[in-house]
Amino acid sequence: MKKSIIFLWFGTIAGCTFLGIFFVNVMAKEPQPPRMVSYYTCIRIQPGDTIWSIAETYSQETDLSVEDYVLRLKQMNHIGEDTIHAGHYLTVMYQRPEAEEEEDLNPSQ
């Protein structure tokens, strides 16, 4: 009786270990979404542009909603209201996936 309980116990531990290793390997092989990096640029406001139309365009390249992007635009550009004027410049943010291999900015000599 003791032998069968010990055998069952070791079999359970071995089975759980095998399944754990199997699931860890499966999870490790799942492709991870690339990490997004934020970049900033200045655009010239064109006639007819609104802060909302600009946010609709540039928020598509971020993980922000249009409303959150408008708030971010206002913060970045120190704007209190929704009013912007053609001919002025506006700093906008966009995101791109992080490069897998970063370029060496300080090449060895």
Side-chain angles (χ1 to χ4, degrees), residues 12 15 21 29 33 38 47 69 72 83 86-87 90 95 100 105 108:
T12 303
I21 291 171
K29 292 179 184 176
S38 296
Y69 194 90
R72 179 74 58 92
T83 305
L90 196 63
Q95 293 178 331
E100 289 182 17
L105 299 177
S108 59

Side-chain angles (χ1 to χ4, degrees), residues 6-17:
I6 292 173
F7 181 74
L8 182 62
W9 187 75
F10 278 119
T12 303
I13 290 174
C16 289
T17 302

Side-chain angles (χ1 to χ4, degrees), residues 35-50:
R35 191 173 84 87
M36 301 301 280
V37 179
S38 296
Y39 297 94
Y40 300 87
T41 190
C42 284
I43 61 167
R44 188 172 185 176
I45 301 169
Q46 301 299 314
D49 281 348
T50 66

